[in-house]
């Protein structure tokens, strides 16, 4: 009789353990389903945001084209001559968007250079580009960016080391406000071959050339020679 009771107890314990495991499995499966649903929702939001950015970029391009056409037409009416920089022609149209106030672009020297990663195994080229108005105040805009970094040969000839191009949507993601500098923060990892080429330069200098294109008629360029330690 005692043996029968023991068997019954064991069977009950096994059944209880099985129920507990089934309950835990159901809980885990429910949590996984919830997380998968959340991930799908976030992926959908990301897709919608990217589409919104693309639509905004097309709208900006349309506004720029309209502004350029208006400016060209007005200049032609007054004799086809315009002042240096940007005249007051179509100022009302340009004032509707921040890019209308851009006057130049510069490379922030203090935060531009070649740096090591924390582990010291790889190197990256960091460049900060800053769009400026006539008062040299920072202007936050989206633009097509082209960056070229070159070593300098003994005869002064630049040898391109890195060339990068970013469209309007990509430039939005590059914009950042830092403690030292704000602007387009561009970071490019340098390969071992690129670092070897850079280190073979006796002068230890790197020529950074940047182009910022707001429209076909509004292209700004700047260059900076930096010392690589």
């Amino acid at each position: 009789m005692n043996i029968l009771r023991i068997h019954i107890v064991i069977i009950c314990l096994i059944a209880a353990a099985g129920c507990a495991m089934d309950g835990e499995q159901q809980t885990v499966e429910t949590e996984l389903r919830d997380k998968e649903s959340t991930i799908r929702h976030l992926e959908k939001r990301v897709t919608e945001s990217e589409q919104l950015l693309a639509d905004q970029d097309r709208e900006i391009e349309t506004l720029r084209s309209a502004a350029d056409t208006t400016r060209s037409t007005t200049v032609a009416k007054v004799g086809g001559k315009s002042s240096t920089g940007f005249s007051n022609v179509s100022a009302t149209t340009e004032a509707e968007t921040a890019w209308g106030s851009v006057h130049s672009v510069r490379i922030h020297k203090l935060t531009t250079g070649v740096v090591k990663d924390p582990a010291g195994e790889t190197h990256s080229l960091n460049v900060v580009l800053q769009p400026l108005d006539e008062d040299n105040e920072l202007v936050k805009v989206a633009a097509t960016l082209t960056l070229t970094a070159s070593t300098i040969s003994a005869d002064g000839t630049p040898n391109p080391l890195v060339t990068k191009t970013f469209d309007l949507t990509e430039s939005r993601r590059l914009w950042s406000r830092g403690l030292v500098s704000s602007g387009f923060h561009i970071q490019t990892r340098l390969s071992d071959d690129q670092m070897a080429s850079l280190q073979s330069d006796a002068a230890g200098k790197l020529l950074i050339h940047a182009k910022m294109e707001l429209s076909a008629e509004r292209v700004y360029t700047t260059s900076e020679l930096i010392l690589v330690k």
Side-chain angles (χ1 to χ4, degrees), residues 24-63:
E24 291 178 358
Q25 182 177 356
Q26 290 178 357
T27 301
V28 171
E29 290 176 350
T30 300
E31 291 178 352
L32 286 176
R33 284 194 295 270
D34 291 341
K35 289 180 179 179
E36 288 176 354
S37 177
T38 301
I39 291 173
R40 287 195 297 270
H41 175 69
L42 291 175
E43 288 176 342
K44 181 180 178 182
R45 292 291 301 274
V46 169
T47 301
E48 291 174 349
S49 298
E50 290 178 344
Q51 182 61 48
L52 178 60
L53 285 174
D55 292 341
Q56 290 175 342
D57 289 340
R58 285 192 292 270
E59 182 180 355
I60 290 174
E61 286 289 357
T62 301
L63 288 172

Side-chain angles (χ1 to χ4, degrees), residues 29-186:
E29 290 176 350
T30 300
E31 291 178 352
L32 286 176
R33 284 194 295 270
D34 291 341
K35 289 180 179 179
E36 288 176 354
S37 177
T38 301
I39 291 173
R40 287 195 297 270
H41 175 69
L42 291 175
E43 288 176 342
K44 181 180 178 182
R45 292 291 301 274
V46 169
T47 301
E48 291 174 349
S49 298
E50 290 178 344
Q51 182 61 48
L52 178 60
L53 285 174
D55 292 341
Q56 290 175 342
D57 289 340
R58 285 192 292 270
E59 182 180 355
I60 290 174
E61 286 289 357
T62 301
L63 288 172
R64 291 175 178 172
S65 299
D68 290 337
T69 302
T70 302
R71 182 171 60 254
S72 299
T73 303
T74 307
V75 169
K77 288 182 180 179
V78 297
K81 296 181 179 180
S82 61
S83 59
T84 58
F86 301 104
S87 65
N88 291 328
V89 176
S90 69
T92 301
T93 303
E94 290 188 334
E96 294 177 357
T97 51
W99 62 270
S101 63
V102 174
H103 186 263
S104 63
V105 63
R106 75 179 173 197
I107 296 171
H108 193 277
K109 292 190 291 185
L110 293 179
T111 49
T112 294
V114 176
V115 297
K116 287 184 179 180
D117 72 334
E121 298 178 355
T122 60
H123 293 77
S124 296
L125 172 63
N126 290 343
V127 179
V128 178
L129 297 180
Q130 297 180 312
L132 305 172
D133 61 15
E134 290 184 336
D135 298 321
N136 284 332
E137 295 293 336
L138 190 65
V139 181
K140 183 178 180 180
V141 293
T144 300
L145 306 175
T146 302
L147 177 71
T148 302
S150 306
T151 57
I152 307 299
S153 61
D155 60 359
T157 303
N159 303 306
L161 185 70
V162 176
T163 299
K164 291 285 185 178
T165 301
F166 306 93
D167 60 24
L168 288 170
T169 300
E170 291 170 330
S171 74
R172 291 177 186 273
R173 296 175 180 146
L174 293 173
W175 188 272
S176 176
R177 290 194 174 276
L179 295 175
V180 179
S181 62
S182 299
F184 299 111
H185 286 247
I186 301 171

Side-chain angles (χ1 to χ4, degrees), residues 196-208:
S197 176
L198 180 57
Q199 292 169 347
S200 65
D201 181 10
K205 293 182 179 180
L206 193 63
L207 178 64
I208 308 295

